[in-house]
Every structure is written in C-alpha cells, then in structure tokens.
Amino acid sequence: MTTIRITSPSHSTDHEISIGRGTLPAAGAWARKCVGSGAQRALIVSNSTVYELYGSEVATSLASAGFGVSSFLMKDGERNKTLRTAESALAAFSDAGLTRTDVVIALGGGVVGDLGGFAAAIYLRGLRLLQVPTSLLAMIDSSVGGKTGVNTAFGKNLTGAFHQPSGVLIDANVLATLPARETTAGLCEMVKHGALAGRGLLDQTVAFLSSLEIDRFASSGIVELIAENVRYKASIVAGDERESSNRRDQRSRKILNFGHTLAHALEKVTNYRYFRHGEAVGYGILFAADLSKSLALCPEKDVNLLNDVVHRAGILPSLAGIDADEVLAAFDLDKKVIAGNLQMVLLKGIGEPVIVTDIPQATLRTTLQQFFMSRG
Ligand SMILES: NC(=O)c1ccc[n+]([C@@H]2O[C@H](COP(=O)([O-])OP(=O)(O)OC[C@H]3O[C@@H](n4cnc5c(N)ncnc54)[C@H](O)[C@@H]3O)[C@@H](O)[C@H]2O)c1
Ligand SMILES: [Zn+2]
C-alpha cells in the first residue's frame, strides 16, 4: 500500500490517500482509522452500477468495523449530477439519522464523488467525507483537491463547495471492470498531468500505456502511476487550494485546466451526451498543443509527442458532424473567462505550462478550423 499525506497550511483538512490492490475488503478498518471511534453511522453514496460490483464488500467491511451502514444510490451518469439528486441524497442522510459525527462514503466515479461530496459538504453544514474512487479519472483527479459540486441549467460544475475528505481509499483492482471508454477518459487526464508535470511523469505514462496493451491493469506499474498522478495534483492544490483568480503562474491551480477549454466547449455543444469528459480532454490537449505551436510557443517535437501519447490512450469519438464555429462560440461561456478575456493554459513545452490571455481571435479560429478539418 502506498500512502500519500495531504496537508494544508492550517492542517485542519490533512488526510491520507491510500493506494493499493485489494484494499476494499479492509475499507471498514480504514474508515474507522480515518474518522475515529465517535462515528456511529456510515452512509454510502454510490450508483447501482458500482454498488452491484463493490457495494456489499464495502458495506460488510464497514459493518464489521462497527458502523451502522446505509446507502443512497443515485442514477448513473453525468446528467444526474444535479441539485435535485443532491436534495434526494440529503433526504437519505436525514432518513438515516446522520449526525455531525457520522460519515458519508462516496463509492464510485467522479460523478458520485462530486455529488456525494457536495451533499456531505452542505448537510448540517458539513459532514465528514471519505472518498473511495472507482474510475481511473476519479482516482487520479476528482478525488484529489476537495472540489465538489453539481451541474445546473446555467453551467457545469458551477455550483459546489470545497470539502476535503477525511481520507481517500484507492483499490486498483476495481479497474478490471471499468469500461474501455472510461479507461481512455482516465488515461487522457493522466496525459494532462504528464504534459504539465514534465518528462518524468509523461514517460512513466507512456511506459504504462505500452504494458496496458498487453495485460490491461494487471501491470504492477498502475499503483505507482496513480500515486505519481495524485502526488502531482496534490502538489499543485497545496500551493493554491482555492484557485486564486489573480494567479497566473506555472504552479497555480488554474493550470490543471489544461485541455479543458476545448473539452468543455465540445461537451457543451454535444449536450454532455456524446463524449466522456476525459475523451473531450483528450481532444482539448491536442488542440491546446496545436494552438501553442500556432503561437510559436511550443516546439513541434513536443506537440508530436503529445499526439502520440493521446493516440495510445485510446480511440476518441469522431469530431465529424460537430461545427467548429459553434464550438468557438461555446468557448466564451467557459468559466475560465475572467473580465472578458479567454484565459487558456498552453505549453511552452512538456512540463512548461503557461496561462495566456491575449490569444488573437483569428489565430484561435484558424487553428480550430484546421484542427477540425484534420480530425473531422
Ligand atoms: N472534483 C474535481 O476536482 C473533478 C475533477 C475532474 C472531474 N470531475 C468530475 O468527475 C466526473 C467524471 O468522472 P468519471 O469519469 O469517473 O465519470 P463517472 O462517475 O460517470 O464514471 C464513469 C462510468 O464508469 C462507471 N464506473 C465507475 N467505476 C467503475 C468500475 N470500477 N467498474 C465499472 N464501472 C465503473 C460509472 O458508473 C459510470 O458509468 C465529471 O462530473 C467531472 O466534472 C471532478
Ligand atoms: Zn477534467
């Protein structure tokens, strides 16, 4: 088991992220260690897909550690990450009689983690939360950093709360049941981290991708690769936990939005139904790399390397039928727009992110049109 300690300046939200294989059967003892002896009840937030696979194992383990266990199962899918679902979760918390000393356990992908985390953040003004991420994306990204939230009619992820978990438990064995598209989506977010962190992490990712083609997730490299991704994201979050709006340096939390400007626009124009989020990020990485080249920021060899790595992560859904102009218009609604300027994370090279605010509209348009022509 690899353990990563997450600390904050005040130490009030310090916790550990534990990563290994076959960790779920010991989830009860782990939860007890994280929240102490005072907690009597544990409520598992999950969905039926994940709960059918792993729910009873976790519930049994929690019960044997002395928790009174109940559950709230949301419908699967991004479209259910809503205030309405959060309200149903709150009602389930109330029915279960959760008190301030009890704990919510989010067992699932990023959707479950964001929604369960948000409900935990607001119920009784904050219940303790444990994250048990089961998708690759949730393991390396959404369960790290304390952001929780839901989607609303006026935007994706715009309503939420910072709520750090009291612990995160990762069992790499559950990746065996993850659908192929979800695997690709998680790998694309890993490539994002590699592009930002530098050649060390990117090369480690490439090496893992080669082994993945042979033995899926049986390779021993996966635990260490997840750990490296967690360490990288946690290191950025530690320096800028609340994503300060005035920071634009290489270590500001905003840089984690690399690949997300196009991704959010693609998701929006397809009504969040066509792409998995991480797949859209795959395209977003490629577009940000192309734009970095158009602006003479990034050497061609780094752009080619990113193309190669994203390609190895899996097949992305076709862009045919998506209108580049509509995508360009959707950029303007991205939440990274501050005071009318499009802020985009670009690269001066692998491991050298830069936040650019003065991208000429003509370059943006031409690069996007070329991007769609070459891939549509
Ligand atoms: N809070 C953050 O900082 C943050 C960061 C990145 C992404 N996110 C959010 O995360 C969400 C995306 O997360 P996701 O990609 O995990 O999607 P998801 O939660 O929809 O999970 C993907 C699919 O895989 C299934 N699944 C999960 N684990 C499984 C397993 N082990 N075996 C079989 N099936 C499994 C899920 O039921 C779902 O159908 C988005 O809502 C995004 O906004 C949040
Ligand atoms: Zn993302």
Side-chain angles (χ1 to χ4, degrees), residues 6 15 17 138-147 164 168 170 229-230 233-234 237 253:
I6 307 291
H15 62 279
I17 301 187
M139 291 175 184
I140 61 137
D141 194 348
S142 59
S143 65
V144 186
K147 281 190 185 176
Q164 290 286 358
V168 181
I170 296 177
N229 274 272
V230 167
K233 179 164 180 187
V237 171
R253 188 167 182 170

Side-chain angles (χ1 to χ4, degrees), residues 49 60 214 221:
T49 315
T60 306
I214 305 162

Side-chain angles (χ1 to χ4, degrees), residues 6-9 13 15 141 143-147 162 164 193 230-244 247 251-256:
I6 307 291
T7 56
S8 65
T13 58
H15 62 279
D141 194 348
S143 65
V144 186
K147 281 190 185 176
F162 285 98
Q164 290 286 358
H193 285 160
V230 167
R231 281 188 199 104
Y232 174 69
K233 179 164 180 187
S235 76
I236 296 294
V237 171
D240 184 16
E241 197 173 354
R242 299 270 161 150
E243 197 168 327
S244 338
R247 276 187 59 178
R251 304 279 304 167
S252 80
R253 188 167 182 170
K254 275 195 209 123
I255 62 155
L256 298 173

